[in-house]
Amino acid sequence: MKQMEGNNQKTVLITGASNGFGLEFAKLFAKDKYNLVLVARSGDRLKKLGYSLQDEHQLEHVCIIQSDLARPESPQEIYDQLKQKGITVDILVNNAGAGIHGFFHETELDRELEIIQLNVASVVQLTKLFLKDMVARNEGKILNVASVVSFMPSPLMAVYAATKAFILSFTEALQNEVKDKNITLTALCPGASDTLFFKRAEAENTRAAQGQLSSPEDVAKDGYEALMKGESRIVSGVLNKVQAGASNILPDSALASTMRYQMEEKPASENRSPESKL
Ligand SMILES: NC(=O)c1ccc[n+]([C@@H]2O[C@H](COP(=O)([O-])OP(=O)(O)OC[C@H]3O[C@@H](n4cnc5c(N)ncnc54)[C@H](OP(=O)(O)O)[C@@H]3O)[C@@H](O)[C@H]2O)c1
């Protein structure tokens, strides 16, 4: 188990820190006195969050970077900006991500290509830039937010699930590549959670979104603890662990059928109470 010592001078970069898991990660790192680099498109939300966490926890520095990670230039710009400021990133949390719901033959290709740039390419770019520096220092940690759908094909969210399968595979491969160094990579695999994700993916009426949702606080805590222990993978939540485990047993066609059911719109009849069905 590789642990980093003392973190008063350490800095974490969190993408997608303006909401959901990213916001909860920012709170957890701030509580443990990490300096923060917060990245998202909503600069004002980031400033409000970052500066209030700085005051509350007496952090040495907080850096707000308003950036759209669906632009291929953004990762290099973020890296260059931090180099210019002399800020070393000790921990990288690749959390920003988005999905789009619908049949692939009906959804907009441009949006899907943006999602691939955000969920996959920007993670590869940021990891390339910051991992090289971590290897040079022989110290660092990376947390990549994957998903429980990393383990299974997901009809009606086909591109999204495929991006998350990439993240899991990529993270675990790199974890092995650096196993003899003082560097760890961790993949966090949450299930359906109570963030803006489903609404933004136009999937808020699906069975998955209308079912039992994990709290972003719990998911971030699981990810944070696994990252600090240097675990290669953490599936957050008991039911999600069962679902991920089932992917080792069931054929992909059965997993796809189950996921399609989850990703279909929940009919009003399923919302009726048992009494009203009598
Ligand atoms: N919620 C779930 O059920 C669930 C389950 C498994 C995995 N995940 C994954 O968890 C991660 C966090 O999602 P969440 O659930 O916390 O969703 P969320 O509430 O929608 O938050 C997404 C975050 O990503 C940022 N973001 C989105 N597009 C961006 C862009 N183009 N450039 C920069 N930042 C961008 C958003 O900030 P701005 O809008 O300000 O840019 C926001 O801070 C994602 O990778 C998601 O795929 C979510």
Side-chain angles (χ1 to χ4, degrees), residues 141-181:
K141 286 186 171 298
I142 299 179
L143 179 68
N144 288 335
V145 179
S147 169
V148 80
V149 301
S150 301
F151 301 99
M152 55 203 77
S154 188
L156 296 169
M157 277 227 165
V159 169
Y160 174 72
T163 66
K164 293 300 177 180
F166 180 102
I167 294 302
L168 180 61
S169 168
F170 175 63
T171 307
E172 294 191 328
L174 297 190
Q175 169 80 300
N176 176 276
E177 286 187 16
V178 299
K179 69 181 163 52
D180 298 326
K181 304 185 193 304

Side-chain angles (χ1 to χ4, degrees), residues 29-248:
F29 280 103
K31 196 161 161 260
D32 282 348
K33 297 260 183 262
Y34 283 89
N35 295 310
L36 304 172
V37 178
L38 304 180
V39 180
R41 291 166 303 180
S42 320
D44 289 344
R45 277 181 67 85
L46 288 182
K47 275 186 199 151
K48 213 169 150 203
L49 171 73
Y51 299 140
S52 84
L53 288 175
Q54 183 168 30
D55 278 355
E56 186 181 346
H57 299 287
Q58 301 295 302
L59 306 179
E60 203 167 282
H61 69 81
V62 167
C63 175
I64 303 301
I65 303 184
Q66 182 172 10
S67 177
D68 181 354
L69 287 166
R71 287 175 59 247
E73 305 78 19
S74 293
Q76 186 70 51
E77 289 170 3
I78 292 167
Y79 179 81
D80 292 344
Q81 197 174 323
L82 293 174
K83 276 271 147 166
Q84 266 172 17
K85 290 188 167 147
I87 295 175
T88 300
V89 171
D90 301 285
I91 301 184
L92 170 64
V93 179
N94 285 310
N95 163 74
I100 179 78
H101 180 262
F103 285 106
F104 180 70
H105 64 272
E106 292 176 357
T107 45
E108 275 186 31
L109 180 62
D110 283 352
R111 180 66 188 133
E112 267 138 358
L113 294 176
E114 257 180 35
I115 286 170
I116 292 170
Q117 178 64 40
L118 171 66
N119 293 10
V120 174
S122 81
V123 174
V124 171
Q125 290 170 288
L126 287 168
T127 303
K128 174 78 81 181
L129 293 162
F130 290 103
L131 181 60
K132 275 188 177 187
D133 288 353
M134 289 177 186
V135 169
R137 296 193 307 271
N138 192 32
E139 184 174 60
K141 286 186 171 298
I142 299 179
L143 179 68
N144 288 335
V145 179
S147 169
V148 80
V149 301
S150 301
F151 301 99
M152 55 203 77
S154 188
L156 296 169
M157 277 227 165
V159 169
Y160 174 72
T163 66
K164 293 300 177 180
F166 180 102
I167 294 302
L168 180 61
S169 168
F170 175 63
T171 307
E172 294 191 328
L174 297 190
Q175 169 80 300
N176 176 276
E177 286 187 16
V178 299
K179 69 181 163 52
D180 298 326
K181 304 185 193 304
N182 187 30
I183 296 168
T184 60
L185 289 99
T186 302
L188 168 63
C189 304
S193 305
D194 191 9
T195 66
L196 290 179
F197 174 81
F198 283 106
K199 191 172 182 341
R200 286 181 163 187
E202 296 171 24
E204 69 265 50
N205 297 324
T206 58
R207 289 191 179 91
Q210 296 291 318
Q212 188 81 28
L213 298 178
S214 305
S215 84
E217 291 88 346
D218 289 349
V219 172
K221 188 164 173 286
D222 281 351
Y224 188 82
E225 286 171 0
L227 171 81
M228 291 305 163
K229 288 182 194 157
E231 291 173 1
S232 63
R233 175 202 290 189
I234 171 79
V235 178
S236 180
V238 177
L239 287 179
N240 299 320
K241 283 187 174 68
V242 172
Q243 206 182 350
S247 71
N248 294 319

Side-chain angles (χ1 to χ4, degrees), residues 245-260:
S247 71
N248 294 319
I249 304 162
L250 294 174
D252 280 359
S253 56
L255 295 167
S257 297
T258 309
M259 284 311 297
R260 177 162 176 171

